[in-house]
Amino acid sequence: MDELMSVRSLTTLPVVTLGGDAVAHVKDTVFDPSAERIASFTLTGRSLWSGQLAQDLPWPAVYCLGHHAVMVRDRDALFDLPLSVARRDALRGRLLGAQVRTDAGEPVGTVLDVLVRGGTSGRVVAFRLAAHRDLVPGSRHRRHRVYVPRGEARSTAGRTLVIPEHATTYVTDDLPDFVTRVGAFHDRRRSALS
């Protein structure tokens, strides 16, 4: 259940209790300020047309994140929150559309999607980018969509995301190839530490 999941695919997922009751739907995914993990979800009602709820689902209240639902123990997992605060937090915690640069200041691209670990993790693993021309050479008329790992140290400043320069060496447009490359990198690090 610890699979990679696209944050865009989480929008409209039902929030379901362990007893099987659908209590809400995911509207937006909010990230913590350092963007290392999901902080919370803003919600809509059980009907997708019911509008935003004045409730939030903080990540610690999530029992499990899956491809078909966000599981919570019970209805008490939803946290009452003024809509103005929920909207402000959702805007502050948005990564989609952010400009990406390396820590050396080189432009990398624009965030199209975020990949997170499902299950109980919620950790940000990678970003899917509309790559800058310097990162992926090729036609100027075709937008290259690539995956780049989150990296060990990264920060956000306004609507700009800063990643380590070495993270760009793992860029690929194929998700299975990306997972293999990053897995090999982590295997080398583990064996070097042993």
Side-chain angles (χ1 to χ4, degrees):
M1 189 73 169
D2 211 16
E3 298 178 35
L4 292 183
M5 303 176 70
S6 159
V7 167
R8 285 192 184 271
S9 71
L10 302 181
T11 303
T12 72
L13 277 183
V15 177
V16 179
T17 66
L18 293 178
D21 297 325
V23 294
H25 282 88
V26 172
K27 180 178 187 306
D28 288 310
T29 303
V30 180
F31 296 94
D32 71 2
S34 62
E36 291 180 6
R37 71 173 42 250
I38 296 172
S40 65
F41 296 105
T42 61
L43 306 170
T44 62
R46 289 187 301 169
S47 161
L48 295 177
W49 298 278
S50 61
Q52 186 168 350
L53 294 179
Q55 291 179 309
D56 186 65
L57 176 59
W59 180 257
V62 172
Y63 181 77
C64 186
L65 173 62
H67 285 285
H68 302 290
V70 178
M71 300 294 297
V72 295
R73 288 193 186 281
D74 54 38
R75 188 178 296 272
D76 293 337
L78 307 184
F79 182 72
D80 289 336
L81 195 64
L83 280 177
S84 60
V85 173
R87 288 184 182 124
R88 183 199 67 214
D89 288 350
L91 288 174
R92 186 179 297 150
R94 272 188 79 200
L95 288 175
L96 301 181
Q99 296 299 308
V100 182
R101 294 188 167 276
T102 66
D103 49 10
E106 295 298 318
V108 177
T110 305
V111 177
L112 297 174
D113 206 347
V114 180
L115 297 179
V116 296
R117 285 212 183 279
T120 58
S121 172
R123 285 194 112 18
V124 174
V125 175
F127 304 102
R128 185 163 191 226
L129 306 177
H132 193 272
R133 284 186 296 236
D134 295 340
L135 182 65
V136 181
S139 170
R140 292 173 54 166
H141 302 290
R142 185 171 157 243
R143 283 179 74 177
H144 293 283
R145 289 172 168 76
V146 298
Y147 295 94
V148 63
R150 175 180 63 86
E152 296 82 29
R154 186 208 58 275
S155 64
T156 55
R159 294 289 291 148
T160 302
L161 183 68
V162 180
I163 62 172
E165 189 169 15
H166 69 83
T168 61
T169 61
Y170 298 97
V171 169
T172 180
D173 61 354
D174 180 60
L175 185 57
D177 181 42
F178 171 76
V179 171
T180 302
R181 285 182 185 200
V182 173
F185 168 75
H186 288 300
D187 289 345
R188 283 194 304 269
R189 281 190 59 199
R190 277 191 286 267
S191 61
L193 293 174
S194 301

